[in-house]
Amino acid sequence: MPVIDWEGQQVQLAAGESVLDGLLRIGADVAHSCRAGVCQSCLLKASSGQPGMASQAGLKAAWIEQSCFLACVCYPAGDLAVETPGAGVRSSAELIGMSWLSPTVLRVILQPEAPPVHRAGQYLTLFRDDGLARSYSIASLADEGKIELHVRIVPDGRMSSWLAQLASPGITVGIQGPAGNCFYTTGAPDQPLLLAATGTGLAPLYGIVREALEQGHCGPIWLYHGAANSEGLYLQAELEALAATHPNLRYRPVLRDRNGSITDFIINTHPQLKGWRGFICGNPDFVNSLKKRVFLSGMASREIHSDAFVPAPPSS
Ligand SMILES: Cc1cc2nc3c(=O)[nH]c(=O)nc-3n(C[C@H](O)[C@H](O)[C@H](O)COP(=O)(O)OP(=O)(O)OC[C@H]3O[C@@H](n4cnc5c(N)ncnc54)[C@H](O)[C@@H]3O)c2cc1C
Ligand code: FES
């Protein structure tokens, strides 16, 4: 079985064991969260050996060129020497503002050390000093010069509770990214757009809708925000004001206690989605279910962009 070298410490992987699991078994301090190849928190760099293409799926070309890979889905065929990726992949940002968008959603504003290069809707990974890593979608446009995140406070959640209770403006955090393909692209300004989110899945869509309007998108844009009840909504006044000044934008909150399932609500309103582009973010079950339903309603798979907010497993 392959041997993994981590800062001079060596571990032989067991059959079916990922590089992440092998390193955690010997007590290595490797950042991780979803353990499913989604969040990119466990990004490492191979200084020798081949991590394998499957562990590089979805990574940007510049990171693949540097032999970066996702340790949680890396099952190498041969020995590897691995290290934490350095400058060029990770950098830092100052936390410059925090305010409550609702009783459970915190708006976090970061000033990155270098000017932001993201597209609204992509995500980044936030690192605490002790190495704890979690991914968050970006609600701000790059030309706004800062990074805005919307963080739902999870009871006993390590990162979200820390942000709400202990972090304060002036502290520095690590950031990695941007990553992901959930962002607006120009070239089809008349195309109907479907934007659908639950919870803080609104964060990327708040960026995407403003980017689309700023780029002069003139086709219809339907923005759905799902929540259990009215307390789960946020940015309602801002989105209503945006819709009032842009006749092609329709903003629809969907409340489970009043409207039923958001997935059924959307598909009943739009039974035919041929020619549409979709952006779907938030709870993984919702994202997976709506992706299937919009595809069955005629939306081409290349037009479906999504980010499922996969949490860290309970034991992680
Ligand atoms: C690509 C991507 C983008 C994301 N974007 C955002 C974003 O914009 N805003 C945002 O608020 N979050 C986002 N997340 C989720 C975020 O990364 C964290 O998972 C979340 O903030 C919880 O982290 P925590 O450390 O506070 O809680 P943890 O300490 O990780 O969790 C505490 C306990 O709660 C459970 N748990 C955590 N979240 C959930 C959940 N949603 N459902 C069920 N159980 C859960 C965990 O399994 C654990 O048992 C995103 C995730 C991904 C993969
Ligand atoms: S991608 Fe590996 S922990 Fe999320």
Side-chain angles (χ1 to χ4, degrees):
M1 293 306 295
V3 172
I4 310 300
D5 184 291
W6 163 265
E7 296 174 350
Q9 241 185 314
Q10 300 198 329
V11 58
Q12 181 162 40
L13 295 181
E17 190 176 41
S18 69
V19 168
L20 178 67
D21 287 338
L23 291 175
L24 294 178
R25 177 160 58 79
I26 58 163
D29 192 11
V30 183
H32 58 280
S33 180
C34 73
R35 291 185 174 221
V38 178
C39 72
Q40 303 198 0
S41 302
C42 65
L43 192 81
L44 292 182
K45 179 177 167 166
S47 45
S48 76
Q50 297 298 328
M53 278 166 60
S55 65
Q56 297 179 311
L59 296 187
K60 55 177 130 184
W63 291 0
I64 294 174
E65 273 166 30
Q66 293 176 54
S67 294
C68 290
F69 65 97
L70 299 176
C72 70
V73 287
C74 182
Y75 303 89
D79 296 350
L80 278 185
V82 304
E83 58 189 48
T84 307
V89 176
R90 289 194 192 167
S91 58
S92 66
E94 183 184 345
L95 199 163
I96 58 169
M98 290 197 288
S99 56
W100 289 99
L101 288 165
S102 80
T104 54
V105 178
L106 190 63
R107 176 183 250 155
V108 174
I109 309 288
L110 302 174
Q111 184 66 62
E113 60 180 341
V117 291
H118 64 264
R119 304 294 304 272
Q122 289 188 293
Y123 61 90
L124 53 74
T125 303
L126 198 67
F127 291 86
R128 221 166 55 176
D129 259 2
D130 62 359
L132 181 77
R134 295 288 183 263
S135 298
Y136 295 100
S137 298
I138 304 174
S140 48
L141 279 54
D143 63 14
E144 291 172 334
K146 56 187 171 31
I147 294 174
E148 172 178 333
L149 312 175
H150 302 167
V151 178
R152 182 169 79 88
I153 308 310
V154 175
D156 299 323
R158 279 160 289 171
M159 183 66 89
S160 57
S161 299
W162 173 77
L163 283 166
Q165 293 161 15
L166 297 172
S168 55
I171 64 160
T172 299
V173 290
I175 53 173
Q176 173 182 290
N181 300 317
C182 200
F183 55 83
Y184 179 77
T185 49
T186 52
D190 301 332
Q191 189 176 27
L193 304 183
L194 173 68
L195 279 58
T198 54
T200 44
L202 183 63
L205 303 193
Y206 185 60
I208 290 168
V209 69
R210 291 182 305 125
E211 172 104 51
L213 293 171
E214 193 174 286
Q215 299 286 344
H217 193 91
C218 52
I221 306 175
W222 290 78
L223 170 55
Y224 290 93
H225 187 204
N229 52 46
S230 56
E231 283 175 18
L233 298 177
Y234 67 92
L235 287 175
Q236 209 173 346
E238 287 84 345
L239 289 166
E240 280 165 359
L242 200 62
T245 50
H246 295 86
N248 61 327
L249 171 62
R250 297 212 174 85
Y251 162 60
R252 293 278 183 277
V254 184
L255 306 179
R256 197 164 57 235
D257 65 358
R258 202 176 303 164
N259 311 109
S261 145
I262 179 173
T263 307
D264 290 344
F265 189 93
I266 291 173
I267 297 299
N268 290 340
T269 313
H270 309 281
Q272 277 302 329
L273 290 166
K274 190 162 185 253
W276 287 56
R277 200 185 322 167
F279 298 92
I280 305 171
C281 298
N283 174 284
D285 291 341
F286 157 72
V287 170
N288 291 332
S289 143
L290 188 59
K291 278 171 70 175
K292 276 188 207 132
R293 299 279 300 272
V294 297
F295 177 73
L296 292 173
S297 299
M299 195 182 289
S301 54
R302 66 172 181 285
E303 298 285 8
I304 305 173
H305 308 272
S306 65
D307 272 324
F309 291 2
V310 179
S315 58
S316 193

